[in-house]
Every structure is written in C-alpha cells, then in structure tokens.
Amino acid sequence: MKPLINRLIRRWLRTEMDKVRVPDSTETPVLAPVAPGLPPRVEPFWPLPRVGMSVSDVRNQFGKFALWHYGYEFEGGPALLPSNLRSDHLTGNSRRPIQRFQHFMPYLVDALGGSLHGKRILDIACNSGFWSIQCALLGATVVGFDARPELIEQAELIKKIVGVGSVEFLTLPFEEMTPQRLGRFDAVLNLGILYHLPDPLAALFATKAMAETVIVVDTSLWVSDEPVVHYHWEEPVDIRDAVIAGIVGYPSASALELMLKHIGIPGAFRVPIVTDDMPQDYLTGARATWVGPLARHS
C-alpha cells in the first residue's frame, strides 16, 4: 500500500508543478526577505554584462545551438529563453535560476567567510556555465566541467559575451573527476547532477573528496518520508537528461541526509525556504539544497 501511496503523491506533485504560473520576464524580481539568523543577501549579476559583442551577434551565436537548458539576459539585450525538448515546470519559469541563486548562494558565501574573492570553486556538471559565471563575477576562480561537449561550447560562449577571465571550462565525465586531475577547491557545487547518476552515495563521496571547506548539493528528490533511493531508467533524450542511458537514483530527503552523515559531514543542513518566490518543486519538497561545511583537515 505504501508504494502505491507514494506513487499517487508523486503524480499529484507533478500535476501541481505543471500548473506553476510562468512569470512575465518584465516583472521585477521579488527578493527573499532578510530574516534574523539568515546570512546576508547576495545579489546575482543579472542581467549579465555584455562585453564586445552586439545584440545581433549574441542572437546569432545562440542560434547555433538548438537547445539551451538555461535562459540568459544581457545588459542592453538580448533576453533569451531556455529551449528544452520537454517544456514543463523546470523550463517554463525563466526566473528559476535567479530564484535558486537567491535561495542558496548566501549560504555558500557565508560558509566561505562572507566573500568569494580569492576562493577556488568547482562547478560539477556546469551545463552552460550559469553558476560558474556567477561565482567568477563574485570574485572566485572557477573550474566548471560537463560531459557534453556542446554544453562546454555554450559555456565558452557565455564566458566570451560576459568578458570574465577567471573561469575555465572542461569537457569531462563525472567519473573522471579526481583531486589528482583537478586539485581541491574551497567549495564544490553539486547542482542538479546527483539524480542523473546511478549511485548517489558514491557521487557524494567523490564530491567531498574535491572540497576543502564546503560542498553544496542541490537535487531533485524522491518524495517519501522513508530514507529510500528510487531507481529508474533514464534515456539521454533532452539536454537536461543523463549523458548516457542507464539507471539513475533519486534519494529521498531523509536518505540524502543519512548519506551526508555517512560521508562525514554531520553538520550539513538543508537550506530553509524563506519566501514563496521560489520554483514550485522547491515549494512542494520535490527539490532542495543542502550546504555541507567540512571539518578542518577532514
């Protein structure tokens, strides 16, 4: 009976998430309130700077790629929407990345002493470089990698448009990420990749091995009160899918917290929701973010 109930809950959540209103791109963003005990707000660089490339050149360069998982807006234009094969709650809200930034970026900055200046950050499965570019503009030196060469081409394009030099993009499968190859980093971002992999626990071990100070894990979740991992088959149909066909594991929230404890980060905490100006999957508990500070010399 419990598996049936969980499936029904999951189906209901998907239905509710598909109902999310798509905000008009001209709307003024509603910023998260500053509440006592929360870290200071960190503002995203948005629209992104546009250096040395005309509006028409940007449009032409973007048009070379059929699919963009992230939308981008540049100073003086243009504003370009994401283009996924499957249009749903993940792609219909053009402000989703900014909402996510305001949700967890203050905690990352706080964990690194209040500033990213001089910090070295690794962006795992960086896609087209949204998070890498934001961290670089905030003063960090960033390495971003992704297994899809076309995504690294997109990231290099964003880097060129913005004119930021302190970020390096690499084509690299997740399984080839090692400290011997890349070094270690003050912070490691594991954003939107865990549920595209077959072994979430092993992926968290690998993430921790790259970090000196803190990891950030942002992931979709299997909605269940039990500490379980739901496995299913994923095909690389869309740009946001796993790179190769195979089994992927969705952990529940309680399972993920047990995993973080198991890999030696007992102080990891779930970032609280402090505003309803958030993507629907975060509001329903189908996605969440954890910040895991590492003990010194861990």
Side-chain angles (χ1 to χ4, degrees):
M1 177 64 72
K2 186 171 290 185
L4 174 61
I5 293 174
N6 285 337
R7 287 198 299 271
L8 292 173
I9 292 173
R10 186 75 174 181
R11 184 179 302 169
W12 176 82
L13 285 173
R14 286 174 176 165
T15 300
E16 291 301 305
M17 287 188 288
D18 287 339
K19 295 178 182 177
V20 63
R21 181 180 66 89
V22 179
D24 181 15
S25 61
T26 62
E27 291 181 3
T28 301
V30 179
L31 299 179
V34 176
L38 298 179
R41 182 182 295 138
V42 178
E43 300 296 345
F45 283 81
W46 202 259
L48 287 170
R50 179 169 55 82
V51 178
M53 189 174 290
S54 69
V55 171
S56 61
D57 285 342
V58 172
R59 290 190 183 277
N60 289 336
Q61 292 298 317
F62 263 70
K64 294 179 180 180
F65 301 92
L67 301 175
W68 285 85
H69 186 49
Y70 283 82
Y72 287 95
E73 184 176 346
F74 300 96
E75 291 176 351
L80 300 154
L81 297 175
S83 55
N84 289 245
L85 292 177
R86 299 193 305 273
S87 180
D88 57 18
H89 65 281
L90 293 177
T91 61
N93 180 3
S94 63
R95 290 189 53 250
R96 178 182 175 86
I98 302 304
Q99 292 171 317
R100 295 173 65 206
F101 180 103
Q102 293 169 340
H103 174 55
F104 63 74
M105 189 59 73
Y107 290 89
L108 171 63
V109 174
D110 186 64
L112 293 176
S115 173
L116 298 192
H117 283 276
K119 304 301 182 182
R120 192 163 181 256
I121 293 179
L122 178 65
D123 185 7
I124 297 173
C126 66
N127 202 278
S128 56
F130 176 88
W131 301 103
S132 295
I133 296 295
Q134 289 291 331
C135 288
L137 289 171
L138 287 168
T141 299
V142 185
V143 174
F145 73 86
D146 203 285
R148 284 187 167 95
E150 66 270 27
L151 291 179
I152 296 304
E153 290 181 35
Q154 291 182 356
E156 291 286 2
L157 173 59
I158 302 301
K159 175 182 175 180
K160 181 179 179 181
I161 296 170
V162 173
V164 63
S166 58
V167 56
E168 178 185 8
F169 291 114
L170 304 170
T171 301
L172 186 73
F174 177 85
E175 295 75 17
E176 296 181 19
M177 175 190 74
T178 64
Q180 293 75 25
R181 183 162 188 167
L182 300 176
R184 299 185 73 193
F185 297 79
D186 296 294
V188 177
L189 308 182
N190 185 311
L191 312 178
I193 178 63
L194 199 64
Y195 53 96
H196 293 305
L197 299 170
D199 189 340
L201 181 58
L204 290 173
F205 267 119
T207 299
K208 183 193 175 189
M210 303 300 295
E212 295 277 5
T213 304
V214 63
I215 69 172
V216 179
V217 179
D218 181 84
T219 183
S220 290
L221 300 165
W222 184 251
V223 180
S224 172
D225 292 333
E226 300 295 327
V228 298
V229 178
H230 174 80
Y231 291 97
H232 67 268
W233 192 268
E234 187 166 282
E235 294 281 346
V237 176
D238 203 351
I239 195 171
R240 71 189 201 218
D241 295 330
V243 178
I244 58 175
I247 289 175
V248 297
Y250 273 66
S252 65
S254 57
L256 183 57
E257 290 180 345
L258 286 178
M259 291 178 190
L260 290 168
K261 181 178 180 180
H262 182 76
I263 68 172
I265 314 182
F269 61 91
R270 183 170 177 170
V271 176
I273 301 291
V274 296
T275 174
D276 60 2
D277 182 40
M278 283 289 292
Q280 194 72 6
D281 47 347
Y282 288 83
L283 295 176
T284 60
R287 189 170 180 128
T289 312
W290 279 261
V291 174
L294 277 62
R296 190 176 298 274
H297 307 305
S298 64

